[in-house]
Amino acid sequence: MKIRVFVSLKDGVLDPQGKAVEHALHSLGFEGAADVRISRVVDLQVKADNAEEAKVKGAEMARALLANEVIEDFHVEVAG
Amino acid sequence: MKIRVFVSLKDGVLDPQGKAVEHALHSLGFEGAADVRISRVVDLQVKADNAEEAKVKGAEMARALLANEVIEDFHVEVAG
């Protein structure tokens, strides 16, 4: 079963990568660009009998590796 | 207006980062994990009068900076 794990910085956590992209966009003439935040999406196949089990496995993988829960949030979607 | 730019590797392009995550998941006991692919999501504010204009600006930014069109695809969504 295919799942999608969204990993994004928690609100309030500074996003240096986003800031760098924002400055680069400005230097390329995109003055209106603001509040740039970069997130990760991890698509993967998991062995699961149903969507619920797939989501649980995705959350376990996120907690174990894919997300740093000190500064990041994640949510899991079953991509069908 | 808030937009979301999804940037992902084109089909067929090797994803070394995804492979590394896949191996790490296996070493953590998640044997069933397969076909791991990592994508980026860039959330940002743009100055635009309507959704269509916001999407056009997002595509321009993606072509100029956010995506490497040789190996990556992108699509833009207006996040409302």
Side-chain angles (χ1 to χ4, degrees), chain A residues 3 10 18 26 28 31-32 46-47 52 64-65 67-68 73:
Chain A
I3 64 172
K10 291 185 175 185
H26 290 171
L28 288 169
E31 298 311 330
V46 292
K47 283 184 181 150
E52 209 39 50
L65 180 75
N68 171 355
D73 289 322

Side-chain angles (χ1 to χ4, degrees), chain A residues 6 21 24-25 28 30 32-47 60-61 64-66, chain B residues 6 21 24-25 28 30 32-47 60-61 64-66:
Chain A
F6 284 86
V21 167
L25 286 171
L28 288 169
F30 298 103
D35 303 335
V36 180
R37 305 274 291 179
I38 315 275
S39 305
R40 284 191 310 283
V41 172
V42 183
D43 291 305
L44 69 152
Q45 294 282 349
V46 292
K47 283 184 181 150
E60 286 169 5
M61 291 179 192
L65 180 75
L66 304 178
Chain B
F6 284 86
V21 167
L25 286 171
L28 289 168
F30 297 104
D35 303 335
V36 180
R37 304 275 290 179
I38 316 275
S39 305
R40 285 192 308 284
V41 172
V42 183
D43 290 306
L44 69 151
Q45 294 282 347
V46 292
K47 284 185 184 148
E60 286 169 4
M61 292 178 191
L65 179 75
L66 304 177

